[in-house]
């Protein structure tokens, strides 16, 4: 848990705005990466990969949706990569859901050093994956801040 400064609150608010760009009718997650000079490096929201048709039929069938959806955190990483932007020592802000262990691995691999998330009722529902993410972050020195 943690107390956020005004910049953390601003970037978490931006991640919340980005989450509204998702076409998923049941879950909107947004992510923003920020560099050491407080510059926005990339953004991402949960959705289908570029060029994949995001039809209502696919979004309303959970099994199909989960096969297609890219998480917001990974989309922020992919978008930075797509434009040639390094995320080394960046901060990641996530709004909507806690970070799953699969996204945690990507966060670690690109060099993000700080993660700020909004406290979510979903923390309990995703308990095992979130716990693994926290363990990996602790082991690799990534600071996780959960907004109270």
């Amino acid at each position: 848990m943690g107390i956020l400064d005004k910049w953390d609150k601003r970037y978490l608010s931006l991640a919340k705005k980005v989450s509204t760009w998702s076409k998923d009718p049941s879950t909107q997650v947004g992510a923003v990466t920020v560099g050491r000079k407080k510059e926005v490096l990339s953004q991402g929201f949960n959705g289908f990969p570029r060029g994949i048709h995001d039809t209502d039929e696919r979004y309303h069938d959970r099994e199909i949706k989960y096969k297609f959806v890219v998480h917001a955190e990974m989309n922020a990483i992919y978008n930075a990569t797509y434009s040639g932007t390094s995320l080394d020592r960046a901060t990641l802000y996530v709004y909507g859901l806690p970070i799953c262990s699969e996204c945690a691995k990507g966060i670690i691999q690109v060099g993000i050093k700080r993660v700020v998330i909004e406290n979510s009722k979903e923390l309990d529902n995703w308990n095992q994956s979130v716990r693994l993410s926290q363990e990996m972050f602790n082991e690799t020195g990534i600071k996780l801040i959960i907004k109270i």
Side-chain angles (χ1 to χ4, degrees):
M1 302 293 176
I3 298 172
L4 306 181
D5 69 17
K6 71 178 182 180
W7 286 103
D8 289 329
K9 290 175 184 174
R10 288 174 180 168
Y11 291 124
L12 201 52
S13 176
L14 182 56
K16 182 177 182 178
K17 179 64 176 173
V18 170
S19 76
T20 68
W21 302 347
S22 172
K23 294 181 182 178
D24 187 333
S26 63
T27 306
Q28 280 81 36
V29 181
V32 175
T33 60
V34 176
R36 290 170 286 151
K37 296 178 183 173
K38 299 191 180 343
E39 74 278 22
V40 173
L41 300 172
S42 67
Q43 55 71 30
F45 52 89
N46 59 308
F48 295 169
R50 286 180 184 89
I52 301 297
H53 299 291
D54 48 2
T55 64
D56 285 342
E57 179 182 58
R58 286 178 171 172
Y59 273 119
H60 286 88
D61 183 324
R62 280 177 86 96
E63 188 176 329
I64 291 173
K65 177 176 83 168
Y66 290 155
K67 289 178 182 178
F68 280 102
V69 166
V70 179
H71 290 185
E73 302 91 328
M74 292 310 298
N75 262 330
I77 289 169
Y78 297 146
N79 287 336
T81 302
Y82 193 71
S83 66
T85 302
S86 173
L87 297 179
D88 190 36
R89 295 186 277 170
T91 296
L92 173 68
Y93 295 87
V94 180
Y95 177 87
L97 284 175
I99 296 166
C100 73
S101 58
E102 288 300 311
C103 288
K105 291 186 270 186
I107 291 164
I108 293 164
Q109 287 298 90
V110 298
I112 291 170
K113 292 299 180 196
R114 187 169 173 266
V115 176
V116 179
I117 65 172
E118 179 89 21
N119 194 0
S120 166
K121 64 182 184 295
E122 297 294 332
L123 279 172
D124 292 334
N125 296 344
W126 290 50
N127 205 359
Q128 184 177 2
S129 186
V130 169
R131 194 170 330 138
L132 182 56
S133 296
Q134 288 174 324
E135 287 176 25
M136 288 190 287
F137 288 161
N138 287 340
E139 190 170 328
T140 58
I142 293 173
K143 185 173 185 179
L144 175 63
I145 301 169
I146 302 171
K147 179 186 173 198
I148 303 171

